[in-house]
Coordinates of all heavy atoms in Angstrom, one line a residue:
R34 N 101.3 93.1 97.7 CA 100.7 92.4 96.5 C 101.8 91.9 95.6 O 101.5 91.1 94.7 CB 99.8 93.3 95.8 CG 98.5 93.7 96.6 CD 97.6 94.5 95.8 NE 98.3 95.8 95.4 CZ 97.8 97.0 95.4 NH1 96.6 97.1 95.7 NH2 98.5 98.0 95.1
G36 N 104.2 89.7 95.9 CA 104.4 88.3 96.0 C 105.9 87.9 96.3 O 106.2 86.8 96.7
V38 N 107.8 90.0 98.2 CA 108.1 90.8 99.4 C 107.4 90.3 100.6 O 106.2 90.1 100.6 CB 107.8 92.3 99.1 CG1 108.0 93.2 100.4 CG2 108.5 92.9 97.9
I40 N 106.5 91.5 104.4 CA 106.5 92.6 105.3 C 106.8 92.1 106.7 O 106.1 91.3 107.3 CB 105.2 93.4 105.3 CG1 105.0 94.0 103.9 CG2 105.1 94.5 106.4 CD1 103.8 94.8 103.7
A41 N 108.0 92.5 107.2 CA 108.5 91.9 108.5 C 107.8 92.6 109.7 O 107.8 92.0 110.8 CB 110.0 92.1 108.6
E45 N 104.4 102.4 114.5 CA 103.6 103.6 114.4 C 104.4 104.8 115.0 O 104.1 106.0 114.7 CB 102.3 103.5 115.1 CG 101.4 102.5 114.5 CD 100.9 103.0 113.1 OE1 100.6 104.2 113.0 OE2 100.7 102.1 112.3
L53 N 111.2 97.2 117.4 CA 111.0 96.3 116.3 C 112.4 96.0 115.6 O 112.7 94.9 115.2 CB 110.1 96.9 115.3 CG 109.7 96.1 114.1 CD1 108.9 94.8 114.6 CD2 108.8 96.9 113.1
E56 N 114.2 93.2 117.1 CA 113.5 91.9 117.1 C 113.4 91.3 115.8 O 113.4 90.1 115.6 CB 112.2 92.1 117.7 CG 112.1 92.6 119.2 CD 110.7 93.0 119.6 OE1 109.8 92.8 118.9 OE2 110.6 93.4 120.8
V61 N 115.2 95.8 103.9 CA 114.9 97.2 103.5 C 114.0 97.8 104.6 O 113.0 97.1 105.0 CB 114.2 97.3 102.1 CG1 113.9 98.7 101.8 CG2 115.1 96.7 101.1
L64 N 110.9 104.3 105.8 CA 110.9 105.1 107.0 C 110.4 106.5 106.7 O 110.9 107.1 105.8 CB 112.4 105.1 107.5 CG 112.6 105.7 108.9 CD1 111.9 104.9 110.0 CD2 114.1 105.6 109.2
D65 N 109.4 106.9 107.5 CA 109.0 108.3 107.4 C 109.9 109.2 108.2 O 110.5 108.8 109.1 CB 107.5 108.4 107.9 CG 106.8 109.6 107.3 OD1 107.4 110.5 106.8 OD2 105.5 109.6 107.4
L67 N 108.9 112.3 109.7 CA 108.2 112.8 110.9 C 107.3 111.7 111.5 O 106.4 111.2 110.8 CB 107.3 114.0 110.6 CG 108.1 115.2 110.1 CD1 107.1 116.4 109.9 CD2 109.2 115.6 111.1
G71 N 109.5 111.2 117.9 CA 110.8 111.6 117.3 C 110.7 111.6 115.8 O 109.7 111.8 115.2
L74 N 114.8 110.1 111.1 CA 116.2 110.4 111.0 C 116.9 110.0 112.4 O 118.0 109.5 112.4 CB 116.4 111.8 110.7 CG 115.9 112.3 109.3 CD1 115.8 113.8 109.2 CD2 116.7 111.7 108.2
A76 N 116.1 107.7 114.3 CA 116.1 106.2 114.5 C 117.2 105.5 113.7 O 117.5 104.4 114.0 CB 114.7 105.6 114.0
Q82 N 123.3 97.4 110.7 CA 124.1 97.6 109.5 C 123.7 96.6 108.4 O 123.4 95.4 108.7 CB 125.6 97.3 109.9 CG 126.5 97.8 108.8 CD 128.0 97.8 109.3 OE1 128.2 97.4 110.5 NE2 128.9 98.2 108.5
G83 N 123.7 97.1 107.2 CA 123.3 96.3 106.1 C 121.8 96.4 105.7 O 121.4 95.9 104.6
A85 N 119.0 98.4 104.1 CA 118.8 99.5 103.2 C 117.7 100.5 103.7 O 116.6 100.0 104.1 CB 118.5 99.0 101.8
T90 N 108.3 110.2 102.6 CA 107.9 111.3 103.4 C 107.3 112.4 102.5 O 107.5 112.5 101.3 CB 109.0 111.9 104.3 OG1 108.6 112.9 105.1 CG2 110.2 112.3 103.4
A93 N 110.3 117.1 101.6 CA 111.4 117.1 100.7 C 112.7 117.7 101.3 O 113.8 117.4 100.9 CB 111.1 117.7 99.4
A96 N 115.8 115.6 102.5 CA 116.5 114.6 101.6 C 118.0 114.6 101.8 O 118.6 113.6 101.9 CB 116.1 114.9 100.2
A97 N 118.6 115.8 101.8 CA 120.1 115.8 101.9 C 120.6 115.1 103.2 O 121.5 114.4 103.2 CB 120.6 117.3 101.9
H98 N 119.9 115.4 104.3 CA 120.2 114.7 105.6 C 120.1 113.2 105.5 O 120.9 112.5 105.9 CB 119.4 115.3 106.7 CG 119.8 114.9 108.1 ND1 119.1 115.1 109.2 CD2 120.8 114.1 108.5 CE1 119.6 114.6 110.2 NE2 120.7 114.0 109.9
F100 N 120.2 111.3 102.8 CA 121.3 110.7 102.0 C 122.6 110.8 102.7 O 123.5 109.9 102.5 CB 121.3 111.4 100.6 CG 120.2 111.0 99.7 CD1 119.3 111.9 99.2 CD2 120.1 109.6 99.3 CE1 118.3 111.5 98.4 CE2 119.1 109.2 98.5 CZ 118.1 110.1 98.0
L102 N 122.9 110.1 105.6 CA 122.8 108.9 106.5 C 122.8 107.6 105.7 O 122.4 106.6 106.2 CB 121.6 109.0 107.4 CG 121.6 110.2 108.4 CD1 120.2 110.4 109.0 CD2 122.7 110.1 109.4
A104 N 120.9 106.8 103.0 CA 119.6 106.3 102.5 C 119.9 105.9 101.0 O 120.7 106.6 100.3 CB 118.6 107.4 102.6
Y107 N 114.8 108.3 98.5 CA 114.0 109.3 99.3 C 112.8 109.6 98.4 O 112.8 110.3 97.4 CB 114.8 110.6 99.5 CG 114.2 111.5 100.5 CD1 114.6 111.4 101.9 CD2 113.3 112.5 100.2 CE1 114.1 112.3 102.8 CE2 112.8 113.3 101.1 CZ 113.2 113.3 102.4 OH 112.7 114.1 103.4

Side-chain angles (χ1 to χ4, degrees):
R34 293 182 300 221
V38 175
I40 297 181
E45 295 293 323
L53 186 65
E56 299 169 0
V61 179
L64 189 60
D65 203 341
L67 298 182
L74 298 166
Q82 191 169 3
T90 183
H98 187 188
F100 285 117
L102 296 171
Y107 193 94

